[in-house]
């Protein structure tokens, strides 16, 4: 299963890309994608949103998460 497009994701509320079937858990979580939320999510999604359908165990190393978030900021910025 492929996730929704990530363009413009920072500061956007989670589960708001039209046409993507989000889990009820994520849709009702009230998250906004910022560095802190994304850091927690990348570490362990199921701990942030119990019941999420995201199949991803997590990224345990803080430096790896920091680098991934920096990359995502660049790669998903509005052009």
């Amino acid at each position: 299963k492929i996730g929704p497009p990530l363009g413009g994701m920072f500061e956007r509320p989670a589960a708001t890309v039209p046409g993507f079937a989000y889990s009820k858990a994520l849709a009702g979580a009230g998250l906004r994608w910022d560095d802190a939320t994304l850091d927690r999510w990348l570490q362990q999604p199921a701990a942030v949103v119990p019941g999420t359908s995201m199949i991803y165990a997590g990224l345990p190393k803080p430096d790896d998460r920091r680098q991934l978030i920096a990359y995502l900021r660049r790669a998903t910025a509005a052009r």
Side-chain angles (χ1 to χ4, degrees):
K1 186 173 176 181
I2 296 175
L6 299 179
M9 69 178 278
F10 283 89
E11 306 311 324
R12 180 175 73 202
T16 58
V17 172
F20 188 81
Y22 294 96
S23 68
K24 287 182 182 180
L26 184 59
L31 298 179
R32 179 170 293 277
W33 294 124
D34 57 25
D35 290 8
T37 301
L38 192 53
D39 182 61
R40 291 185 359 252
W41 176 263
L42 290 170
Q43 183 176 11
Q44 192 175 15
V48 177
V49 180
T52 182
S53 61
M54 178 88 169
I55 301 172
Y56 168 71
L59 193 58
K61 295 180 181 177
D63 191 56
D64 290 347
R65 293 193 309 272
R66 182 188 58 76
Q67 289 181 40
L68 179 54
I69 291 167
Y71 168 79
L72 286 171
R73 274 216 176 264
R74 289 188 308 272
T76 65
R79 301 188 196 283

